[in-house]
Amino acid sequence: MEKMLHAAPVHATLPECFIFPADKLPQAKATSGAVSLPIIDLSLCRDEVRRAILDAGKEIGFFQACGEPRRVPGGDAGHGGGVPGVLRAPGGGQGRALLRGRGKTTRIYSSTMFDTGAEKYWRDCLRLACSFPDVGDSPSGWPDKPQRLREVVERFTVQTRGLGMEVLRLLCEGLGLRPDYLEGDISGGDVVLHVNHYPPCPDPTATLGLPPHCDRNLLTLLLPSMVRGLEVAYQGDWIKVDPVPGAFVVNFGCQLEVVTNGVLKSIEHRVMTNLGVARTTVATFIMPTTDCLIGPAAEFLSDDNPPAYRTMTFGEFKRIYSVVKLGSSLNLTTNLKDVQKEL
């Protein structure tokens, strides 16, 4: 069984394999706290909410969402108020049952997802996937224990995806598109959940919980811990995210950047470690289907604004843009347009 960080003996010092070179680990400046993620109350007037979401998307690509969105005909919005207890940590009895090889739909793993050279990073992850719209037909490989895992994950997924789809509808309205523009195959793939667990780290200044990266999917909703750790790239620096109780951190994936021809941006983010307190988060990824063909939409193109991104299937995008540019990303210079030009 793969060695999990949370189950390993407490280290007095950080093992060598987790230490990043100093030039790959720029620290946030002391002034970073002056800029914070927008907090958007989804229960406010719909016009006000969609303007705020669009402004946040153009400015920083992230925001924190709280409150229940006002429903519209056909909407499926709504979400629970906290992390279901069975999702709080990817440890304990489920470890053996969930262990799978790399690339499997459902698995538990530690420290090996990104190609960062010789370095590892300080995270354990439980990865689960739910088919949509038939959540009950989720892929095989789910464990028998804990007994209520499937029930809780399915309920959580339906509620969280509903919130994400409402955010996408609000975005479409703000962009002048029909409300269901981002429904169908572009948001119809498996809904993937990452239960991320970051154990206390003996030297948070020398390693990372997750390296800087952009999400390759359409939209991500993170149910954060109240322990700080997430940082977002902004104007060449890092913003330390202060979690809001009961709120989701929402960020735009690469596919939204491609579809809008760069009007909306997928922004780099990373996770720092913590010396004394464990941190657990739940990330929900709204994904296109593998065969979905994605490129800049005609509504965002003109003679003065030609396509800035290649059109390809989501499966091709994942194979090509698989964090192979992480070396530059660690120095905060990743640009999806430039990456595609090099392909």
Side-chain angles (χ1 to χ4, degrees):
M1 177 175 168
E2 184 179 356
K3 188 175 182 180
M4 305 299 293
L5 284 171
H6 73 274
V10 176
H11 296 283
T13 59
L14 189 68
E16 184 71 23
C17 63
F18 289 95
I19 298 176
F20 283 82
D23 64 338
K24 291 186 178 181
L25 194 57
Q27 298 298 307
K29 297 176 183 176
T31 57
S32 294
V35 180
S36 59
L37 296 187
I39 300 171
I40 300 176
D41 184 349
L42 301 180
S43 67
L44 298 177
C45 167
R46 192 170 184 83
D47 287 345
E48 182 179 351
V49 172
R50 63 187 172 214
R51 282 197 301 268
I53 291 176
L54 190 57
D55 288 345
K58 291 179 177 179
E59 171 68 13
I60 196 170
F62 273 78
F63 64 92
Q64 297 197 68
C66 61
E68 292 285 348
R70 297 188 180 186
R71 294 177 181 270
V72 296
D76 59 353
H79 61 86
V83 183
V86 74
L87 287 179
R88 284 194 181 125
Q94 60 265 53
R96 290 188 181 275
L98 283 170
L99 185 61
R100 296 290 186 271
R102 185 168 183 165
K104 295 291 185 181
T105 299
T106 297
R107 65 189 187 275
I108 188 169
Y109 58 93
S110 181
S111 187
T112 57
M113 183 177 175
F114 291 98
D115 180 11
T116 55
E119 301 89 8
K120 295 185 177 182
Y121 58 94
W122 201 259
R123 178 188 74 148
D124 292 337
C125 180
L126 168 59
R127 183 190 191 277
L128 299 166
C130 290
S131 301
F132 233 87
D134 299 319
V135 178
D137 295 333
S138 297
S140 60
W142 285 60
D144 296 327
K145 295 179 181 180
Q147 292 182 351
R148 295 183 60 240
L149 178 65
R150 178 183 289 270
E151 172 194 343
V152 171
V153 170
E154 289 175 356
R155 186 172 66 250
F156 178 86
T157 301
V158 168
Q159 294 173 334
T160 307
R161 184 184 187 276
L163 175 63
M165 294 307 297
E166 183 62 14
V167 169
L168 292 174
R169 281 189 287 271
L170 287 160
L171 268 176
C172 289
E173 293 172 14
L175 291 165
L177 303 172
R178 66 178 192 272
D180 63 351
Y181 193 91
L182 292 172
E183 296 181 12
D185 286 349
I186 195 168
S187 57
D190 287 349
V191 182
V192 176
L193 273 68
H194 283 180
V195 184
N196 302 304
H197 185 68
Y198 307 94
C201 177
D203 188 358
T205 66
T207 192
L208 291 164
L210 274 178
H213 65 284
C214 296
D215 292 347
R216 297 179 296 172
N217 55 301
L218 188 68
L219 190 76
T220 302
L221 300 98
L222 179 76
L223 197 56
S225 165
M226 289 299 101
V227 178
R228 265 187 174 187
L230 177 64
E231 295 186 353
V232 176
Y234 183 74
Q235 297 183 352
D237 195 7
W238 294 101
I239 297 172
K240 298 177 183 292
V241 176
D242 286 319
V244 174
F248 281 90
V249 176
V250 181
N251 68 282
F252 301 157
C254 290
Q255 305 314 309
L256 267 178
E257 180 173 336
V258 170
V259 168
T260 62
N261 204 38
V263 173
L264 302 177
K265 297 291 186 183
S266 180
I267 301 299
E268 282 188 324
H269 47 288
R270 68 181 185 180
V271 176
M272 306 303 290
T273 55
N274 185 284
L275 179 63
V277 183
R279 178 173 177 269
T280 301
T281 64
V282 184
T284 302
F285 301 96
I286 296 180
M287 315 278 287
T289 61
T290 300
D291 296 332
C292 181
L293 191 65
I294 303 172
E299 288 82 352
F300 299 100
L301 303 179
S302 67
D303 292 340
D304 297 328
N305 189 37
Y309 305 86
R310 294 176 57 188
T311 296
M312 62 184 77
T313 68
F314 183 53
E316 291 170 333
F317 185 95
K318 287 192 296 181
R319 286 192 294 272
I320 293 172
Y321 192 74
S322 58
V323 204
V324 293
K325 299 296 178 181
L326 192 56
S328 59
S329 177
L330 284 168
N331 288 311
L332 201 62
T333 58
T334 291
N335 183 301
L336 183 55
K337 292 180 182 179
D338 293 340
V339 170
Q340 290 205 343
K341 287 177 183 177
E342 295 171 8
L343 297 177

